[in-house]
Amino acid sequence: MNRHTMTQNRCRSLALPLLVGCLVAMACTRGFAQEAGHALQPQKNRVQALVTKLFQKNDAAAAIELAKLGAPASAALETAIQKRKRPVVGLCAWAIWQHPHESAIAPLRRLLGGKDQVAAYWAARALGAIGAETAVDDLSALLPNQPKYFWEQNQGNRIFLRNKQANNLDAPLEAPPDMPNVRVTYAALLALGDIGGDKAKQVLVAAASRPLYLMRHAAVIGLGSMRASDQMPLLKSLRQNDPVAIVRDAASESIAQIQGQQAIVEAPLPPMPEAMVFIKTTNRPESNLGFRDSYWFDKTPWYHAGTNLYVLSPVW
């Protein structure tokens, strides 16, 4: 028997055990996979049940449970967000803000420029809770160059803004498509403070000088969240000189946060009038009765005129 024949015989003798071993391994692997599949089935059923409850009943608790599950439910949450069904999409973003996980970053970023301001608000907050550095550019873009370039309300996918000449209009003006929502921008500034970094700080410093107090309020909170110690002069100036009490209080809290102390807020009481009276009128120029709120335009088309209206007016 030559050497070549001996080698062939030896290979044949080894081939059968190797083949048997491979078949046994494949059978074991298949068995393990089946066992793992059976083990995961209850979890899949749970996710499907929660998704059904979320869509059928707009159930906030179901959204929270899905977010708590993390990776096993991430695909279901992403699908729910992509469908953009209100209020489900907002509930999903709100739930992820409370139980953040990185797999949600991409669908959350796509919500920021949408017409659903509730979903976009919570998407921004969730990105901040996640610490999504990849979303810094998207969040920064929500602070417009024009100080009051924001829309306030929407009907479906149509967005509207309150206008200085609203008392001469029967309906609000439709907003430009590139205009951000004021509440979403507020949330984006808070998120930038949670994420941190040089670019986020630059945007927050710019927002701290904006005429809308909501922008300044979010900016000083964000600077405190990122422990921006190099911005202490700015925060101290706002604590001392800002005309809005909640901005001054937030600046005090951020300063204390940076210094590792507990803030003691002692905002001075505003001057009060001697009396308040109700005046019957046919024209009410301020829909918010003179109290400061998120609206910077003082007249709105629905409330500016009518009959049997009453105005709350101070008497000095």
Side-chain angles (χ1 to χ4, degrees):
M1 184 180 295
N2 57 33
R3 180 176 299 176
H4 178 70
T5 304
M6 292 176 63
T7 302
Q8 285 181 332
N9 291 338
R10 185 177 293 111
C11 289
R12 291 193 188 98
S13 64
L14 292 174
L16 183 60
L18 286 172
L19 178 60
V20 172
C22 289
L23 291 172
V24 171
M26 289 173 63
C28 292
T29 302
R30 182 178 299 175
F32 290 145
Q34 289 176 347
E35 290 181 7
H38 291 317
L40 291 174
Q41 192 60 42
Q43 190 174 64
K44 291 180 180 178
N45 293 341
R46 174 64 175 160
V47 170
Q48 185 57 48
L50 289 170
V51 170
T52 301
K53 189 176 182 181
L54 175 62
F55 275 90
Q56 289 183 353
K57 299 183 178 180
N58 299 327
D59 192 276
I64 291 291
E65 288 300 315
L66 286 169
K68 282 182 178 180
L69 288 174
S74 60
L77 278 173
E78 182 172 351
T79 301
I81 291 173
Q82 288 174 345
K83 290 183 177 180
R84 303 288 182 99
K85 179 181 181 293
R86 299 175 182 173
V88 170
V89 60
L91 290 173
C92 291
W94 168 75
I96 295 170
W97 167 66
Q98 297 179 74
H99 303 281
H101 47 88
E102 293 186 357
S103 61
I105 291 177
L108 290 172
R109 288 175 64 183
R110 290 193 288 269
L111 291 178
L112 293 176
K115 304 301 187 294
D116 185 343
Q117 60 177 299
V118 175
Y121 177 96
W122 289 115
R125 297 300 307 275
L127 289 167
I130 294 169
E133 295 180 0
T134 55
V136 168
D137 287 343
D138 298 321
L139 295 166
S140 300
L142 291 170
L143 183 70
N145 293 326
Q146 301 178 46
K148 297 181 179 181
Y149 194 70
F150 298 105
W151 64 270
E152 277 285 350
Q153 50 200 343
N154 66 293
Q155 295 177 0
N157 288 325
R158 298 179 66 194
I159 55 177
F160 301 95
L161 65 151
R162 296 174 181 260
N163 183 270
K164 287 182 178 179
Q165 288 77 37
N167 59 318
N168 298 321
L169 299 174
D170 294 328
L173 294 180
E174 192 159 357
D178 65 333
M179 180 177 281
N181 177 265
V182 63
R183 299 171 185 86
V184 178
T185 299
Y186 180 88
L189 295 174
L190 296 179
L192 288 172
D194 293 332
I195 296 170
D198 291 338
K199 181 168 185 178
K201 185 191 298 184
Q202 180 181 358
V203 174
L204 292 176
V205 170
S209 63
R210 290 299 176 91
L212 298 182
Y213 77 97
L214 285 176
M215 301 299 104
R216 302 197 304 276
H217 186 251
V220 297
I221 293 174
L223 291 171
S225 298
M226 67 167 56
R227 306 296 197 276
S229 57
D230 58 327
Q231 298 302 319
M232 287 289 279
L234 172 62
L235 292 171
K236 289 179 179 179
S237 175
L238 290 169
R239 179 182 63 179
Q240 183 68 28
N241 302 316
D242 197 278
V244 180
I246 64 170
V247 177
R248 297 196 299 271
D249 292 347
S252 296
E253 292 172 1
S254 291
I255 290 170
Q257 193 173 13
I258 293 170
Q259 295 175 338
Q261 302 172 355
Q262 185 173 359
I264 300 176
V265 177
E266 296 180 352
L269 294 175
M272 297 298 292
E274 296 180 2
M276 302 288 283
V277 297
F278 281 100
I279 303 174
K280 188 173 181 178
T281 177
T282 57
N283 183 281
R284 186 170 69 187
E286 294 189 9
S287 64
N288 59 9
L289 299 181
F291 293 102
R292 187 188 301 272
D293 61 10
S294 65
Y295 304 124
W296 48 94
F297 297 133
D298 59 350
K299 296 181 179 180
T300 57
W302 291 282
Y303 304 112
H304 78 278
T307 58
N308 296 323
L309 298 177
Y310 291 85
V311 172
L312 183 65
S313 177
V315 177
W316 295 96

